[in-house]
Structures are given as C-alpha cells and as structure tokens.
Amino acid sequence: MLPYKKLSLKFYTILMKHADDLQAVSVDEALIDVSSVVLQLRAKTSEDDVAVDPAKDFAEVIRAQVRQATGCEVSIGISHNILLARLATRRAKPAASYHLIPEEVQQFLAPLSINDLHGFGSSAKQKAQEKLGVTTLGDLMDKSKAVLCDALGKLTGETLYNALRGVDEKKLESDKPRKSVSCEINYGIRFENGQQAEAFIYQMAKEVAKRLDDIGMAGRSITLKIMKRDPKAPVEPPKFLGHGACDLYNKQISLIGPGGGATSDERVIGEHAYRVLRSFNFDPKELRGIGIQIQKLEKPPSGGTTVERGMLPFRRILSPKKPTRPPPPVPPPEVIIHPPSDDLREPIKRESPTKHAVDLPNFSQVDLEVFNALPDDVRNELETEYERRSVSAPPAGPPSPPVPPRKGIFSKKIAIKGTDYTRIVRQQRPRTTRPLILPTKNPLFKKKGRAGAVKMSDEALRALNIEPAVFRDLPPNVQHEQLAMLRLIKKYGKLPTPPSKRKVLKPRKRKPIPAHLLWRAPPPRARYIELPILRQQGKQKYEKILMTETPDIQKAIELWVATYQRWIPKEQDVQLFTKYLVNVVDGTQYGDVGVERAIAILKWWLVLLRRYWGGSEYVEEDEQMELSQGNPVGAAWWKIFRDIKAKMDVVARKKFGGCLSLK
C-alpha cells in the first residue's frame, strides 16, 4: 500500500469515530456532521461561560488526533451548512480551525469575490462584471433576486441569492453512487513526438481500465481532457515541470466496445482516447496535461468486461468449393387486397411475377430467444427442416422418389388493407392540451348502478328490531326501504304523513333594490402616460415654453449649440438640461418611452458636437494645455456631454442593469 494511501486510511478512520455522517471529497478532504457531539458538549458547558466554543474545541481535538496518527497538519472550518464550512476552511488554512457563526456571516461574506463561492467560477464573475458592474459579495447583496436571475440565469441567480444570505440547502451525500471513473495527469507532461503521446494515452487507458475492473463497472461514454500551453505563456513555467498557464479543451464521444455495448477494455479505451486527441491536431510539444474520464457506468453481465448485445442473424457465406443442392421451390404467397370498407367477399388474387428460393442460416447463428418466440407451427416446421439438413446424404442406390414441395415459412395468404381513413382523420384532429371528456370514459356520464346490499352488523340490525337472517334474504332495494322506514320510526315514533296536496316549488321573486340603496361602480378612467416636458424661458418675463415632442427638443438643442459656438454654455442651462434627461431615463414616471426619447436626443447632440468640434472628441482634458493646442469651447462642450451621459448611465444601470448605447 502506498504511504499516502495509508495516511488517508488513518485520516478517515479518525473522522469516522466522531462523525454522525460523512461525505468523502478526496483522499485528504471530507465533510462531516458532528451535530450530536457538539450538542452534548454544549449541554455540559455552563451558560455563563461565553468564551467557550465547544465546536472549536472539538475541532482542535480532531486536529490533535490526526497529527498524532499521521504526523500531518489539517485545517478545519466549522459552520451550520456546507457552503459556509468550505469558506471557513479557507480562513482556517494553514493548520488551524475557524468557526463561522451565523451572526458574523454577512460581515464575513462582504469582502469576498463571487468566484470565492463554491460552484461559481470565472464565467460567473465575468457575467456579473459585464451586466451588474460589481463582483464583490457585499455589493451583490443589494441586488434583488430578479436582477440576479436576469444577469446570471434563473438557477444560478437563485443559488447566488441564497448564498449571499448564508443559505445552503445541500445535504451530505454519504451513499452517493459513483457516476464516473477517471485518471488525470497534469505534471511532468513533456512530449517530443506523437509516438510518445500515443504510448502515454494507452498507459492512462490501462490505469482507467484497472479502476473500472476494481469496482466492477463498464462505461458507455468517454471524455478526454487536454491542457495545452497558452501561446502567451513561457515554455517552462516557474514551477519545475508544472503545466503553467494553459487552455483547456474537453471532448466527449460514445465508448463502443465489442458487440456495441459498454466496456472496460483498456485497448478500446486507448483507441477512443487517442482518436479524440488526434482530432484536435495539437503539437505534442505543447501538451501540458491529459485526463481520461469514463461516464454512463453500468454493471457488466456475470462480471465480464464488456456488455454484449444480441448477434444479428446474418446469412452464412457459402464456400464456392462445396456445391450445394438448391432447396425445393416455395410456392409464392397469395396476395389479397382488401379495400377500406372490407366489403369485398371474394379476394383479388395476384401471382408474384418471380419465385424466390428461401435459404435458412446455420442453426448456430439463429437467436434462440427469437426462435422460441415463433408460433408453434412455424417453429415445428423449422425444426423439421434443420433436422433434415443435419442428416448426411443417403448411399448410392435406386433413385429416391421426388421430395414433395416443402411448405413455405410464411402463410400463403397475405392480407393488404387499403387506406385507413379513420386513422388519417384522427391524426388530423387538432391537438389540445385539455383532456377530452368522452361519455364512455367519464364517470359523470355513467349510469348509476343498482343499490347494493346493506352492509350492517347483526347487532345494529337487532337494535332496530330486525331479524338479520330474514333481512339479508330481502332484495337490496327492499332492504334500503325497510331500513329507511325503521330509522324514521325510531327517530319520530311514527312514519310522517305524506302531504294531502302536492306543493309546487317556485323560485322566489326578487324585490327591486331602492334607488337610494343601489351603488354602481364608477366607469373606468383611461390612464395616459405623462410625456416628459422640457421647460424653456420665453421671450416675455413670465412666459414658459413647454416642449414634449422629440423633434422640438432636438431643434432646441441645435439652436443652443449654434448660439454658444464661441462661448462656454451657462451652468444654469446645463443643469436644466441635465435634470430633464436624468428624469427621462429614470422611467418611473414616463415609462420606456422616455428612455427611447433620451437616446434619440443624445444621438442628435452627438452629431452636432462632431459637426462643430469633431477634433476635440478624443482630446483628453489637461489643465496645463494652452489655448493654441486645442479649442477650449469644444473641450467644454464634450465635457458637459460626457458628464450628462455618465449621470444617465448611473440611473440606467440601477434600473436596467446596463449603460445606454448610442451605436
């Protein structure tokens, strides 16, 4: 046994002594549940001693036992679920323990990045950066569940929303079935040519096949994992013979063994893996890691290495050296054509234009399951024919009488039905998700059956002064009538007298409601979205010009820019225009119409700025730049445009999760 395997066995032996439940992650990592032990320790601790932490003390006991048994240090993270325990383990490293209590979860998670959570990688971090503008957990806590689901997807968004609040519903899976077997090596991989890579692939396939045989499984799918050196990375990384920065490639194909079934044969696994490697057409010198993984595991029959399938009964190839006697001719089948209505009394007989000789395969190639499932007459006929063929030819002598023609395997009459119009109409019927209510199948339309016999005990019948033997001999309807009459007599003392005159029930007439008590709902009022308004000072003292249409506002901007071609615009005008555009983008009052209008206005403003001061668009602002080096008016206009666009982007990012695009 390898030294590392011995240490791992000692490590897990210590954990099993203390754990209520255990899930193995790797040879040196595990998740354990010690709730019962911690509760017992906490019950023994006095409530006044707040500084004592039974969970952390118990973790130190486990660390000491592992250190004494293996001579190795371990790190232990403690919390109330798996997600937080993994994060606490990172804080505990190296060689320590850390207990993350519920009161400190929010403060602990705030500075972490999204890729620090288990199950979230660089892809989730990139999406959060592009669509939300933040990647730290503290900033993501302010986002709603709907915003996270829109940015990262429904499942990932809900998982992240719960993780930000320290919620993890995962349970330990101690009896989790194995779904794959793999072997991966990414250290010391340095090939000079393709022959070395091929030999290495077959060696890994041998190891994977051994691991499959150890657990008695075979697979139907194979995945090849390849690590190729990044073109920008150095040939030799800082770590000796390490893989360094690499590009990862995965490809999965079906693993087809002999007979078309699952397999654990090392030769088949090696051939499939090397075929995938050649499909990438990589330079062997650039490879830094290779892994083979087998999925879709299943048990091979009777402990074999290959799951065989049924053999197809192909016709036997006859040798040209041995002439064979042709089988006796078989009469052609009689073809009968029935029209759709099946009203023809006499069938229309057609003879087959050609006659075919039927040749049977060798009996060793016949599938016995299919042979035993044949009808009795066909099976007996085939058995007779095979017994006749197994007998050797008779000795030479007088000519034997002619053999009567053998009955055909198939019946002489083959019925060919015409067009089934009922099936065509059923297929063209419109498909609906609502179930059809058929009178023949729905219990609502079924006739009520006759009343069954009364099921009462003898004691209950005697309580009503009924003789059980006589009562059970009566018909069921008479039983129900007598039982109902006796119950009425027992309740009221006598049978109620029927009414002398039949009373006809009529619906009661409703009295009209008085007008002063009648309340009618007011008619609905139409809601109109209020259009955004840009207010501008008129020529008169108290005159205000209100502009709501996009062309009017664009014309006002054009007049504003043309007026201030040589002067910097007034701060009051800039604030008025900024307030209007920010309110329009907000959308709480004007809806999506305002956002479209704001983008149209910004696009037109951008056209005007490029028309007058196009050279100042990409000139960065510099306090020490002289007037001769640039146009100060153009630079001021571009600065105003960028400041307003930035304020609009802040509002748009809070509402829509992204910036405004002017493309």
Side-chain angles (χ1 to χ4, degrees):
M1 185 180 295
L2 297 176
Y4 205 80
K5 193 172 183 180
K6 292 182 179 179
L7 298 179
S8 178
L9 183 60
K10 294 180 180 180
F11 169 71
Y12 274 98
T13 303
I14 295 173
L15 296 183
M16 290 296 294
K17 292 180 181 178
H18 305 288
D20 301 333
D21 195 4
L22 183 144
Q23 176 182 342
V25 179
S26 64
V27 293
D28 59 353
E29 182 180 357
L31 299 170
I32 62 174
D33 181 9
V34 291
S35 303
S36 60
V37 180
V38 174
L39 289 176
Q40 294 176 4
L41 295 175
R42 189 169 294 167
K44 298 178 182 179
T45 307
S46 61
E47 298 180 356
D48 299 336
D49 196 354
V50 184
V52 178
D53 188 352
K56 186 173 176 58
D57 295 342
F58 184 58
E60 292 298 331
V61 171
I62 296 177
R63 292 186 63 249
Q65 293 180 0
V66 174
R67 186 189 311 112
Q68 183 179 1
T70 64
C72 302
E73 293 286 351
V74 294
S75 302
I76 301 178
I78 314 161
S79 193
H80 54 278
N81 58 43
I82 296 177
L83 173 68
L84 299 179
R86 290 179 184 272
L87 296 175
T89 306
R90 294 185 182 181
R91 176 67 65 87
K93 292 181 179 181
S97 61
Y98 180 77
H99 187 188
L100 179 57
I101 59 178
E103 293 78 8
E104 300 176 356
V105 170
Q106 298 296 327
Q107 183 180 358
F108 180 83
L109 295 177
L112 301 180
S113 178
I114 185 175
N115 56 351
D116 291 331
L117 297 176
H118 185 265
F120 294 84
S122 57
S123 177
K125 182 178 181 180
Q126 184 177 359
K127 287 183 180 179
Q129 181 65 42
E130 293 177 354
K131 298 183 179 181
L132 301 177
V134 292
T135 57
T136 58
L137 302 185
D139 296 333
L140 292 173
M141 290 179 186
D142 300 333
K143 307 296 181 182
S144 64
K145 182 187 291 188
V147 173
L148 295 177
C149 291
D150 291 341
L152 304 176
K154 186 176 184 303
L155 182 60
T156 306
E158 291 179 353
T159 306
L160 178 60
Y161 182 81
N162 294 330
L164 293 173
R165 285 145 185 82
V167 178
D168 185 14
E169 302 295 339
K170 294 180 182 178
K171 304 297 182 182
L172 292 184
E173 298 178 348
S174 56
D175 55 349
K176 184 177 180 181
R178 188 162 190 170
K179 296 183 179 180
S180 64
V181 174
S182 62
C183 175
E184 185 173 354
I185 300 176
N186 53 26
Y187 178 79
I189 302 297
R190 297 294 187 273
F191 300 131
E192 295 294 335
N193 47 48
Q195 289 76 11
Q196 295 181 0
E198 181 180 3
F200 187 78
I201 286 286
Y202 277 92
Q203 291 176 2
M204 293 188 67
K206 183 177 180 180
E207 176 63 25
V208 173
K210 178 179 177 300
R211 297 181 182 183
L212 286 171
D213 294 338
D214 291 342
I215 62 174
M217 302 293 283
R220 290 184 177 271
S221 178
I222 180 173
T223 300
L224 185 68
K225 302 179 181 180
I226 301 176
M227 298 179 66
K228 178 178 174 293
R229 183 180 67 87
D230 191 309
K232 299 180 181 179
V235 177
E236 291 299 334
K239 182 179 179 180
F240 179 70
L241 293 181
H243 58 76
C246 294
D247 296 331
L248 303 180
Y249 299 89
N250 296 330
K251 189 172 183 180
Q252 182 178 8
I253 61 173
S254 299
L255 182 61
I256 304 174
T263 182
S264 61
D265 187 0
E266 60 180 83
R267 181 183 58 82
V268 177
I269 296 174
E271 290 176 355
H272 283 71
Y274 187 63
R275 189 189 313 160
V276 175
L277 178 62
R278 286 191 304 173
S279 65
F280 286 105
N281 198 20
F282 288 152
D283 185 2
K285 297 180 180 180
E286 299 295 323
L287 299 179
R288 293 296 181 267
I290 297 178
I292 299 177
Q293 187 179 48
I294 307 298
Q295 300 99 357
K296 297 182 181 180
L297 304 181
E298 59 184 63
K299 286 283 186 181
S302 66
T305 60
T306 304
V307 179
E308 296 287 353
R309 292 184 178 177
M311 184 178 295
L312 296 176
F314 292 107
R315 179 180 296 181
R316 183 180 180 184
I317 301 176
L318 301 178
S319 176
K321 298 180 180 179
K322 299 180 180 180
T324 57
R325 184 177 60 182
V330 179
E334 183 178 359
V335 180
I336 303 175
I337 300 178
H338 292 288
S341 58
D342 293 333
D343 292 336
L344 292 179
R345 297 182 180 178
E346 296 182 1
I348 302 174
K349 300 182 179 180
R350 296 181 182 178
E351 294 184 358
S352 177
T354 58
K355 298 181 180 180
H356 300 279
V358 179
D359 187 15
L360 296 178
N362 193 6
F363 189 78
S364 61
Q365 297 180 352
V366 176
D367 193 340
L368 295 181
E369 294 182 359
V370 179
F371 184 82
N372 295 330
L374 293 175
D376 295 337
D377 54 343
V378 177
R379 187 173 64 253
N380 295 334
E381 189 174 350
L382 289 175
E383 290 176 354
T384 304
E385 177 61 18
Y386 278 116
E387 289 177 0
R388 186 188 66 81
R389 293 189 178 189
S390 62
V391 179
S392 59
S400 59
V403 181
R406 182 172 55 90
K407 294 183 179 181
I409 298 177
F410 306 100
S411 60
K412 292 184 178 180
K413 295 183 179 181
I414 301 175
I416 303 176
K417 292 188 177 181
T419 307
D420 189 357
Y421 294 102
T422 306
R423 180 171 177 271
I424 295 175
V425 172
R426 185 167 60 252
Q427 290 179 346
Q428 293 180 349
R429 183 184 301 162
R431 297 182 181 179
T432 176
T433 56
R434 297 178 57 185
L436 297 177
I437 301 177
L438 301 178
T440 57
K441 298 183 179 180
N442 198 292
L444 296 175
F445 301 98
K446 290 184 178 179
K447 294 182 179 180
K448 295 184 178 179
R450 296 180 180 179
V454 177
K455 297 180 180 180
M456 292 183 63
S457 61
D458 295 345
E459 291 78 5
L461 292 175
R462 292 190 182 95
L464 297 174
N465 296 326
I466 301 175
E467 184 62 31
V470 179
F471 182 79
R472 300 191 190 283
D473 292 338
L474 297 175
N477 54 349
V478 179
Q479 291 181 5
H480 285 280
E481 292 178 2
Q482 295 297 323
L483 190 61
M485 292 174 58
L486 291 173
R487 285 175 176 171
L488 290 175
I489 292 173
K490 185 177 181 181
K491 184 176 182 181
Y492 299 106
K494 62 177 182 178
L495 289 175
T497 56
S500 58
K501 186 179 180 181
R502 184 180 180 184
K503 184 178 181 180
V504 180
L505 299 178
K506 295 182 179 180
R508 184 186 301 176
K509 295 183 180 180
R510 298 183 60 183
K511 296 181 180 180
I513 301 175
H516 65 281
L517 297 178
L518 184 62
W519 181 84
R520 295 183 183 275
R525 295 181 180 180
R527 291 185 177 182
Y528 299 97
I529 299 177
E530 183 180 356
L531 297 177
I533 300 174
L534 177 62
R535 294 175 173 82
Q536 186 180 7
Q537 181 66 36
K539 295 182 180 180
Q540 302 297 331
K541 185 175 181 181
Y542 297 103
E543 181 183 3
K544 292 288 186 180
I545 301 176
L546 305 180
M547 291 177 287
T548 58
E549 299 298 329
T550 304
D552 297 338
I553 300 175
Q554 290 177 344
K555 188 175 181 180
I557 293 177
E558 184 176 1
L559 181 62
W560 183 34
V561 174
T563 304
Y564 287 91
Q565 291 187 32
R566 300 182 180 180
W567 301 279
I568 298 176
K570 297 180 180 179
E571 185 66 24
Q572 182 180 359
D573 298 339
V574 175
Q575 293 178 359
L576 177 65
F577 194 61
T578 303
K579 181 179 179 181
Y580 167 76
L581 288 178
V582 171
N583 291 337
V584 167
V585 176
D586 190 9
T588 56
Q589 184 178 0
Y590 308 114
D592 295 338
V593 179
V595 180
E596 297 176 0
R597 181 164 300 180
I599 293 176
I601 293 171
L602 280 181
K603 287 183 178 180
W604 179 241
W605 192 11
L606 183 62
V607 170
L608 295 175
L609 294 181
R610 288 174 176 173
R611 180 187 301 174
Y612 292 108
W613 303 286
S616 302
E617 179 177 1
Y618 300 104
V619 176
E620 297 182 356
E621 191 176 8
D622 191 355
E623 297 180 356
Q624 299 180 356
M625 184 179 65
E626 298 180 359
L627 295 178
S628 59
Q629 297 178 356
N631 192 339
V633 177
W637 273 105
W638 280 107
K639 183 178 182 303
I640 294 171
F641 176 84
R642 294 191 181 96
D643 293 344
I644 295 178
K645 175 67 168 52
K647 294 179 180 179
M648 295 170 66
D649 288 341
V650 172
V651 177
R653 190 179 295 109
K654 290 182 179 180
K655 183 173 179 59
F656 304 103
C659 302
L660 298 177
S661 177
L662 302 181
K663 295 182 180 179

